């Protein structure tokens, strides 16, 4: 059955570069415009917004408010995002905020779900060179490709899924690991879980090798810097159906070793598609800012590395003292629901 694409945009008719690009990119597709008050459950959705120079679109912020107020409003839907900016800033920030809010509202996203256009379109330079076309045509091709992937996306499911959990925390003091241990208990026997700790002090960050060097080592299943990434993480990542990042909030950012691990995945990404691998995360903040870390997970692994993002795949909690997370009101129920959702998204019925 042919699927219909629902286009969610700001108020008023589509105009300018965004309107022209969407009209060309979606030619031949069955498209309907979202009307306020309609349900957005069980849809294939393309969110599309223009940003002025200051990066603030009132319609987009209104949508974010609605998504955050109604966590189940996108249940069963699959989405993609197009952000067209008048300047060279704010497009990716707006896109990842929208993807995170929609995911927490029940929407799934295929890998690389953001087509962003900066004012100059210079962010399409590589794609244009590869396709032998101009920047505007590369933008159109990106939107067309995204729409096609949203329409065709089907979540990969396995009879006995393999899960890779990555952390860089101390078991003696980590609230994040405490929560993960409970989640793992709820999944016992239903999947295969492999945990890898990145606290051994030998994890080199990516130093930005030339593309050809990175590709050379990636084609051989490795990376110039070797170590735990090549010996443990790469083999487990190739086999994994899902990756769970265990993310304490360090200064409103992923910890240094987790950031290094994501950066080092580039060598493997050069030769291995991650589109059939889901990304989940448990984010624990001592005071606040968990949403900032969650948006980094979305941007790094889904938008950039191409992991698909299941609905409600990030658990956000606030706990400071060691052991405090397991004493949070209602935490056992939230952990059980998180584990159930994780298995539901990747395990075959």
């Amino acid at each position: 059955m042919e699927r219909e694409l629902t286009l969610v945009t700001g108020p008023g008719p589509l105009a300018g570069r965004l309107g022209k690009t969407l009209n060309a990119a979606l030619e031949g597709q069955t498209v309907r415009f979202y009307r306020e008050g309609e349900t957005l459950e069980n849809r294939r959705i393309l969110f599309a917004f223009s940003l002025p120079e200051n990066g603030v679109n009132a319609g987009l912020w209104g949508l974010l408010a609605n998504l955050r107020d109604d966590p189940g409003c996108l249940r069963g839907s699959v989405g993609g995002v197009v952000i067209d900016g008048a300047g060279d800033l704010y497009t990716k920030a707006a896109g990842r905020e929208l993807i995170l809010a929609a995911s927490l509202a029940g929407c799934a996203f295929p890998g690389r779900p953001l087509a962003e256009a900066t004012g100059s379109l210079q962010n399409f330079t590589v794609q244009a060179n590869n396709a032998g076309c101009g920047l505007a045509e590369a933008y159109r091709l990106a939107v067309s490709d995204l729409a096609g992937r949203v329409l065709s996306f089907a979540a990969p499911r396995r009879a006995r899924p393999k899960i890779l959990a990555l952390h860089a925390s101390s078991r003696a003091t980590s609230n994040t690991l405490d929560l993960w241990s409970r989640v793992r208990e709820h999944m016992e026997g239903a999947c295969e879980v492999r945990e890898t700790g990145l606290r051994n002090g030998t994890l080199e960050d990516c130093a930005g090798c030339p593309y050809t060097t990175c590709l050379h080592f990636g084609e051989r299943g490795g990376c110039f810097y070797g170590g735990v990434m090549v010996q443990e993480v790469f083999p487990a990542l190739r086999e994994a159906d899902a990756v769970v990042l265990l993310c304490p909030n360090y200064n409103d950012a992923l910890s240094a070793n987790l950031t290094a691990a994501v950066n080092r995945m580039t060598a493997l990404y050069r030769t291995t598609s991650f589109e059939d691998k889901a990304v989940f995360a448990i984010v624990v903040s001592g005071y606040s800012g968990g949403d900032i870390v969650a948006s980094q997970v979305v941007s790094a692994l889904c938008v950039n590395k191409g992991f698909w993002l299941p609905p409600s795949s990030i658990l956000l909690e606030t706990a400071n003292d060691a052991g405090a997370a397991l004493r949070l009101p209602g935490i056992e129920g939230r952990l059980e629901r998180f584990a159930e959702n994780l298995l539901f998204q990747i395990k075959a019925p």
Side-chain angles (χ1 to χ4, degrees):
M1 179 186 296
E2 183 180 14
R3 285 192 167 119
E4 179 181 72
L5 191 67
T6 298
L7 193 59
V8 177
T9 67
L14 277 173
R17 186 174 69 182
L18 176 62
K20 180 180 178 180
T21 301
L22 287 172
N23 286 334
L26 302 180
E27 185 177 2
Q29 299 281 12
T30 303
V31 180
R32 64 172 294 169
F33 283 84
Y34 167 72
R35 295 180 179 178
E36 188 174 355
E38 291 182 332
T39 179
L40 280 174
E41 293 185 14
N42 300 306
R43 301 282 190 93
R44 301 286 164 146
I45 304 171
L46 193 65
F47 301 95
F49 289 88
S50 293
L51 296 184
E53 285 272 3
N54 63 22
V56 179
N57 179 307
L60 174 56
W61 284 105
L63 173 62
L64 288 173
N66 291 335
L67 295 177
R68 291 167 180 170
D69 284 340
D70 190 358
C73 64
L74 299 180
R75 188 178 295 109
S77 292
V78 176
V81 174
V82 180
I83 302 291
D84 189 300
D88 288 341
L89 301 177
Y90 311 119
T91 51
K92 182 159 286 183
R96 73 181 190 178
E97 284 296 310
L98 178 51
I99 293 168
L100 175 61
S103 171
L104 294 176
C107 189
F109 288 89
R112 299 180 296 107
L114 173 62
E116 53 159 340
T118 62
S120 65
L121 290 180
Q122 289 301 310
N123 61 306
F124 281 105
T125 298
V126 173
Q127 295 94 317
N129 288 339
N130 289 341
C133 64
L135 296 175
E137 176 64 6
Y139 176 25
R140 183 196 69 79
L141 290 173
V143 175
S144 179
D145 172 71
L146 175 58
R149 289 186 291 108
V150 169
L151 287 168
S152 63
F153 179 77
R157 289 187 165 89
R158 305 285 185 264
R160 188 171 175 79
K162 296 181 179 180
I163 298 171
L164 172 63
L166 294 176
H167 72 88
S169 301
S170 168
R171 292 194 180 279
T173 58
S174 174
N175 279 303
T176 315
L177 282 178
D178 283 347
L179 298 186
W180 164 245
S181 295
R182 284 284 207 277
V183 169
R184 183 170 181 173
E185 288 174 8
H186 287 298
M187 301 189 299
E188 201 68 45
C191 56
E192 297 179 23
V193 178
R194 181 171 178 175
E195 290 182 24
T196 298
L198 304 171
R199 281 178 54 86
N200 60 9
T202 62
L203 181 60
E204 296 273 0
D205 199 351
C206 175
C209 290
Y211 173 82
T212 53
T213 302
C214 188
L215 180 61
H216 170 80
F217 282 94
E219 287 175 340
R220 287 155 178 76
C223 169
F224 177 80
Y225 293 99
V228 66
M229 286 298 296
V230 173
Q231 296 164 9
E232 296 184 35
V233 177
F234 281 10
L237 190 53
R238 287 190 195 92
E239 296 182 359
D241 301 300
V243 171
V244 183
L245 288 188
L246 307 178
C247 310
N249 181 348
Y250 283 89
N251 299 303
D252 295 331
L254 291 172
S255 67
N257 278 6
L258 282 181
T259 298
V262 172
N263 292 340
R264 291 278 302 279
M265 287 179 191
T266 301
L268 187 61
Y269 178 59
R270 302 259 189 228
T271 58
T272 303
S273 172
F274 296 153
E275 65 181 9
D276 62 346
K277 303 179 190 300
V279 58
F280 295 83
I282 298 176
V283 178
V284 180
S285 294
Y287 301 99
S288 64
D291 55 305
I292 298 175
V293 178
S295 68
Q296 291 171 358
V297 173
V298 167
S299 186
L301 289 183
C302 178
V303 174
N304 288 309
K305 290 293 188 287
F307 289 75
W308 75 277
L309 185 70
S312 305
S313 64
I314 301 180
L315 177 67
L316 295 143
E317 299 291 345
T318 302
N320 194 333
D321 296 336
L326 291 178
R327 298 193 297 270
L328 292 170
I331 189 61
E332 291 295 344
R334 293 195 296 277
L335 294 174
E336 183 175 1
R337 288 191 294 274
F338 182 78
E340 289 174 349
N341 180 62
L342 194 160
L343 287 176
F344 176 78
Q345 299 299 334
I346 65 174
K347 184 175 171 58

